[in-house]
Amino acid sequence: MNRRDLVVRLLRLSACFPLPVVHAVGAFIGWLLSWIPNKPKRIAATNIARCLPEWNSAERDRLLRSNLAETGKVMLELGPLWLWDGQRVLGMIQSVTGEESWQAALRQGRGGIAITPHLGAWEVSGLYVSSRYPTTILYRPSRLGIDELICAGRERAGGHTVATDSAGVRALYKALQATEVLGILPDEDPDREAGIFAPFFGQPAHTMVLLSRLAMKYRCPVCLVFAERLPKGQGYRLRFDLLPNTVSEGSLEASVTTVNAAVEQAVRRRPEQYLWAYKRFKTQPRQV
């Protein structure tokens, strides 16, 4: 059995169980990760120390343990979130706050951009947005070769997925021209030519410029959408936070900085649910 088939089988297996069981098993996997040497633990510990130097070592250790438990939940909940009926997933959203401001901003008739960072259950955020608004979702093709499964999961509530290539970028511009909504992960490390450095937790983080260029060209509102994972598999709490106008009316540098500041603010609310195991600072400024 190749790696792709194994991943698909594991995703389908996890989708056979209710969310409380999925999250309990995921938390147990995270507990195991906290006790043995492994790459996710090492990366998460490095990022936490880098981004939260004001925390003492005991506080950072507690955060690391809880974060690995949440990371285990992320790994296992992808099966249900991609494979369950869309209405079943949406039915697990216990509350939604801030959407009225987002809707008011969309009434300007310029479309909008919903950013869903690697925080909480970003698949739930994307599914909710695409169920409520005509949405084009940007995604980076998977190295595991499971694009068909991922796209089907993200499109089942009405969204349309496009890859991070030239055709996908053109589709994003067309969607905003039609005053639709875009769904974008804002905190990935892009190719060097596709980003600039801006502060993130006081560190230079290589950040995509495509999001800011789209917002600035169409003067459209940008909103951060965060699906907080509730304890014991009780579901999710959704929050919409509009970004300041500098994201669409300032300079490119100011716009990118505004995006990173919004992501940082959201992460500080629930730091244990951020994907600290992602190599956010992999690309570094070139030495002069």
Side-chain angles (χ1 to χ4, degrees):
M1 184 185 304
N2 60 37
R3 188 180 178 189
R4 176 196 174 279
D5 291 342
L6 177 61
V7 169
V8 171
R9 289 194 180 190
L10 289 174
L11 289 170
R12 294 192 183 282
L13 177 63
S14 66
C16 294
F17 298 94
L19 194 64
V21 174
V22 171
H23 280 180
V25 175
F28 176 72
I29 292 173
W31 178 82
L32 291 177
L33 290 176
S34 71
W35 282 99
I36 59 176
N38 58 83
K39 188 175 181 180
K41 177 183 177 181
R42 184 174 66 256
I43 296 171
T46 299
N47 283 338
I48 289 171
R50 182 172 190 165
C51 293
L52 299 170
E54 70 276 16
W55 290 30
N56 62 45
S57 59
E59 290 171 331
R60 292 198 295 265
D61 286 344
R62 284 194 295 270
L63 174 58
L64 177 61
R65 288 193 296 271
S66 60
N67 178 248
L68 290 171
E70 294 297 323
T71 301
K73 295 176 186 179
V74 170
M75 293 164 54
L76 288 196
E77 74 181 358
L78 288 176
L81 298 185
W82 283 338
L83 296 170
W84 282 356
D85 177 78
Q87 291 304 312
R88 181 180 179 184
V89 175
L90 295 173
M92 303 202 70
I93 298 174
Q94 303 302 324
S95 65
V96 181
T97 59
E99 189 176 8
E100 298 83 2
S101 297
W102 169 240
Q103 291 173 333
L106 290 178
R107 285 197 286 272
Q108 298 173 4
R110 299 172 183 164
I113 303 175
I115 61 173
T116 55
H118 292 95
L119 178 65
W122 56 90
E123 295 292 343
V124 173
S125 300
L127 193 69
Y128 181 86
V129 170
S130 64
S131 75
R132 305 267 291 174
Y133 314 95
T135 306
T136 298
I137 304 164
L138 183 68
Y139 80 98
R140 178 175 290 183
S142 169
R143 290 176 294 180
L144 297 174
I146 57 173
D147 289 6
E148 184 177 350
L149 186 152
I150 294 172
C151 292
R154 292 177 176 175
E155 291 181 345
R156 69 195 190 281
H160 171 60
T161 56
V162 297
T164 50
D165 54 23
S166 58
V169 172
R170 289 195 297 272
L172 297 181
Y173 280 95
K174 289 181 180 178
L176 280 184
Q177 287 173 357
T179 69
E180 296 181 0
V181 169
L182 306 184
I184 297 178
L185 279 164
D187 56 342
E188 292 186 330
D189 186 351
D191 296 335
R192 187 170 286 274
E193 66 277 6
I196 61 175
F197 289 93
F200 183 58
F201 283 91
Q203 305 293 317
H206 196 235
T207 308
M208 70 160 65
V209 295
L210 175 61
L211 189 165
S212 292
R213 285 175 174 161
L214 287 163
M216 293 166 65
K217 179 177 177 61
Y218 294 98
R219 295 292 191 268
C220 65
V222 179
C223 189
L224 187 147
V225 189
F226 166 38
E228 177 187 351
R229 192 179 297 108
L230 299 176
K232 299 181 180 180
Q234 297 175 40
Y236 305 92
R237 181 183 297 125
L238 210 63
R239 175 175 177 142
F240 287 74
D241 285 311
L242 275 176
L243 271 63
N245 291 340
T246 50
V247 74
S248 57
E249 298 177 0
S251 65
L252 180 63
E253 291 76 12
S255 177
V256 172
T257 298
T258 298
V259 171
N260 280 359
V263 175
E264 177 179 337
Q265 183 179 38
V267 173
R268 286 187 180 277
R269 292 194 194 104
R270 294 306 304 267
E272 75 280 4
Q273 294 197 15
Y274 190 57
L275 192 63
W276 293 108
Y278 176 68
K279 291 185 177 181
R280 183 65 186 89
F281 304 101
K282 180 179 179 180
T283 302
Q284 287 294 296
R286 289 192 175 99
Q287 298 298 319
V288 179

